[in-house]
Every structure is written in structure tokens, then in C-alpha cells.
């Protein structure tokens, strides 16, 4: 079947890369794997040989029909859907309820087109309580950006959010020639091993994401000025003059820039915003 540009399809065909991915995932017979974007099923088939069950989410109806014919169905479930539209937490819960013999956390394997990689990863991280790890094929530049550490020019929103919840690292690059059709960019395998507990327990996940996004909205500015410029996206009840107070309460120097703050510091800052808003409301 011809790849569809509208869906960002580039199918992995390199058996050596497949073997390396499966070796890194090392699925077991008592584990449930959710695969996003199985394509023609070359990786899916390898996972099925070792995993207890694979749930494969595919947006292309033609590919779903093909996979029903070409792959063994005894431990495979195919879902025709756009992963962006699915309630992944509900899917995981329902699968674990159906299969109590499988471990109580799932493993994610995905080949993500560039145009949805950020949205899918954000959605997966929001369900991190139910996930053991994620092994993701991404554009190499994106994977390296997510795994970059504080202080680097590539460190950004996804780096902060991912690294609060997971040990995040690039495992190996994948050459463009490993796909058909051959893409214009190289890829890489990114793995996120979810921590038993986040580095800091955030009091409000949505607020945490808002603070990180506001901080990185204007990278050249100090964190004080970035947050003052976008304070309404964090909390409409805030006043710009209160931003400095909150930063000082979080022990963050006002002249620092967003890319110098670790995931821990961002989480503590978000918690400070939360507590400040709560205390202010209480004193009214």
C-alpha cells in the first residue's frame, strides 16, 4: 500500500532497527503493550512474539484491514482511531480490567509523525501514572530536544515536562534509509522510563504546564519578564507585580532565564503559584 502524505506515513522496514527496538523494550509475557502507529506491522509482529497482549492504534482503515489478515490475532487487538482523539487513560484502565493477569501498568511503543509528536507525548505524560515506560520513534531533532538538559539551547517545554516524570534519553539514531518512503529527516528512538513518583509532586498539573509554557514564551527574556508578559495565561486573577513575589518565594533569582531552571525548580515554582493563589483567595 502506498504511503499517505496526509498522515505523515513513513514505514519502518529495517529488520536490524526492529531487533534493536525490541531488544530495548524487552517485552514479557505478562505485559500489555499499546502501540501507536503500527503501519504494516513489522514491529507489531515482533512485539506479539514476546508480549502478553498488544493493542495497536492505527488511524488508517486500509492498514487496519491489512493487519487483520497478516498478523496473528490471538494476542492482538486493533483499534481504528486517531490516537489524539482517544481517551488513553480510559483505554488503559479498560484493558487492565479486562486482563487482570497482566501487570498493572502498560508499556507504550510508538512511531510518531512529526506533526503530532508533541501533542501525543503531552497526552501520554498526562497518563504517566498508568504507564511503565515509553519507547518512541521521533524525528531525531525532536528526540534530542526532549532529552536535552537544563542550560542547553535545545532545552524547552517538553524537556521540562518529560523529565519531571521520567528518566528521558535518546537510545540510538535511525537513518532515513530505514523507512519507505525515505523521509527527508533522520529519526531517533527516545525512551522515557517513568519514575515511581515524579521528582516533585505537583499540586496542579495543568498549572505546572501553564507556568512552563509562559516561562519559555520569550526565551531571551528573564523568567521574571516572561512570566509578567504572560501572567494571564497562568492565572487571570494575578497582577504583574505579584510575579516577583512568587519567584522570590520559590527561591528563584529574578534574572535567570527559563532554560536554566530544572524540572524540579519548575515544579516547585508551579506549586508556589498554586499556594500563593490559594492564600490570596483565603485572605480576601
Amino acid at each position: 500500500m502506498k504511503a499517505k502524505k496526509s498522515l505523515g506515513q513513513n514505514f519502518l522496514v529495517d529488520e536490524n532497527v526492529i531487533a534493536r527496538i525490541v531488544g530495548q523494550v524487552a517485552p514479557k509475557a505478562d505485559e500489555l503493550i499499546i502501540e501507536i502507529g503500527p503501519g504494516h506491522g513489522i514491529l507489531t509482529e515482533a512485539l506479539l512474539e514476546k508480549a502478553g497482549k498488544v493493542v495497536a492504534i492505527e488511524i488508517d482503515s486500509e492498514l487496519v484491514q491489512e493487519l487483520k489478515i497478516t498478523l496473528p490475532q490471538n494476542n492482538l487487538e486493533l483499534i481504528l482511531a486517531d490516537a489524539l482523539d482517544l481517551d488513553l487513560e480510559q483505554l488503559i484502565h479498560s484493558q487492565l480490567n479486562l486482563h487482570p493477569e497482566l501487570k498493572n501498568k502498560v508499556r507504550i511503543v510508538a512511531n510518531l509523525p512529526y506533526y503530532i509528536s508533541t501533542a501525543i507525548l503531552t497526552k501520554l505524560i498526562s497518563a504517566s501514572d498508568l504507564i511503565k515506560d515509553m519507547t518512541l520513534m521521533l524525528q531525531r531533532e525532536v528526540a534530542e530536544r526532549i532529552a536535552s538538559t537544563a542550560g542547553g539551547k535545545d532545552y524547552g517545554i517538553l524537556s521540562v515536562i518529560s523529565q519531571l516524570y521520567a528518566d528521558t534519553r535518546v537510545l540510538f539514531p535511525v537513518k532515513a534509509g530505514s523507512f519507505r518512503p525515505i523521509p527527508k529527516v533522520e529519526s531517533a528512538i527516545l525512551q522515557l522510563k517513568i519514575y515511581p513518583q515524579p521528582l516533585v509532586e505537583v499540586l496542579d498539573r495543568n498549572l505546572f504546564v501553564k507556568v512552563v509554557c509562559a516561562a519559555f514564551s520569550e526565551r531571551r527574556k528573564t523568567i521574571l519578564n516572561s512570566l509578567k508578559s504572560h501572567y494571564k495565561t497562568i492565572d487571570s486573577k494575578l497582577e504583574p507585580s505579584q510575579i516577583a513575589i512568587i519567584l522570590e518565594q520559590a527561591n528563584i533569582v529574578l534574572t535567570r532565564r527559563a532554560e536554566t531552571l530544572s524540572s524540579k525548580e519548575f515544579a516547585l515554582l508551579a506549586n508556589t503559584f498554586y499556594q500563593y493563589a490559594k492564600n490570596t483567595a483565603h485572605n480576601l
Side-chain angles (χ1 to χ4, degrees), residues 1-277:
M1 189 186 87
K2 189 175 181 180
K4 297 173 183 174
K5 287 186 178 181
S6 62
L7 298 177
Q9 290 177 339
N10 297 95
F11 301 116
L12 183 62
V13 297
D14 190 325
E15 295 283 358
N16 291 327
V17 174
I18 295 293
R20 290 187 72 182
I21 294 172
V22 175
Q24 291 289 345
V25 177
K28 297 179 176 61
D30 60 353
E31 291 180 332
L32 168 65
I33 291 178
I34 293 180
E35 184 186 13
I36 301 172
H40 290 297
I42 184 172
L43 176 57
T44 316
E45 186 172 17
L47 295 171
L48 286 167
E49 291 178 1
K50 297 179 180 293
K53 182 178 181 181
V54 175
V55 176
I57 303 167
E58 175 56 56
I59 193 173
D60 190 329
S61 59
E62 292 182 45
L63 284 174
V64 170
Q65 291 304 315
E66 176 187 316
L67 295 174
K68 286 180 179 179
I69 297 169
T70 59
L71 291 181
Q73 301 296 310
N74 58 313
N75 61 334
L76 172 66
E77 180 174 341
L78 293 165
I79 296 177
L80 174 61
D82 183 341
L84 282 174
D85 296 333
L86 275 179
D87 185 332
L88 290 173
E89 291 190 46
Q90 184 180 40
L91 173 64
I92 293 170
H93 277 302
S94 64
Q95 288 293 328
L96 292 174
N97 287 336
L98 282 171
H99 301 281
E101 74 280 8
L102 301 176
K103 288 187 176 178
N104 61 357
K105 288 192 177 182
V106 306
R107 309 184 69 191
I108 304 294
V109 177
N111 180 10
L112 300 180
Y114 172 68
Y115 74 100
I116 65 164
S117 59
T118 296
I120 288 287
L121 181 55
T122 303
K123 194 168 186 175
L124 289 169
I125 290 171
S126 71
S128 61
D129 292 347
L130 303 169
I131 296 171
K132 179 182 178 182
D133 57 29
M134 312 178 205
T135 304
L136 312 175
M137 177 90 72
L138 298 164
Q139 184 178 339
R140 184 173 181 176
E141 177 184 317
V142 175
E144 290 175 347
R145 193 182 307 147
I146 293 168
S148 63
T149 54
K153 63 181 179 64
D154 292 330
Y155 184 71
I157 294 168
L158 277 182
S159 318
V160 172
I161 296 171
S162 300
Q163 292 171 33
L164 183 68
Y165 294 99
D167 179 10
T168 305
R169 61 188 65 194
V170 176
L171 297 181
F172 58 88
V174 181
K175 293 181 178 179
S178 298
F179 299 87
R180 294 294 181 273
I182 298 174
K184 295 179 181 178
V185 296
E186 288 198 345
S187 299
I189 302 298
L190 179 77
Q191 192 167 68
L192 295 87
K193 293 186 176 181
I194 307 300
Y195 296 128
Q197 298 292 331
L199 297 179
V200 172
E201 195 69 53
V202 293
L203 300 174
D204 184 325
R205 283 195 180 193
N206 289 331
L207 179 61
F208 168 64
V209 172
K210 287 178 182 179
V211 170
V212 175
C213 289
F216 279 99
S217 59
E218 298 181 66
R219 293 179 69 106
R220 292 184 180 181
K221 289 186 176 182
T222 65
I223 190 164
L224 171 62
N225 289 332
S226 288
L227 294 178
K228 283 175 72 174
S229 296
H230 298 272
Y231 71 95
K232 285 188 177 180
T233 65
I234 301 171
D235 186 342
S236 60
K237 296 177 183 177
L238 278 172
E239 296 295 334
S241 60
Q242 295 172 313
I243 300 297
I245 298 170
I246 293 169
L247 285 167
E248 287 170 350
Q249 288 182 358
N251 295 316
I252 293 172
V253 176
L254 305 184
T255 54
R256 289 178 67 183
R257 287 182 167 79
E259 65 264 23
T260 70
L261 272 67
S262 67
S263 291
K264 282 184 178 181
E265 288 177 303
F266 268 113
L268 292 169
L269 175 59
N271 287 347
T272 306
F273 268 98
Y274 179 87
Q275 293 288 5
Y276 185 88

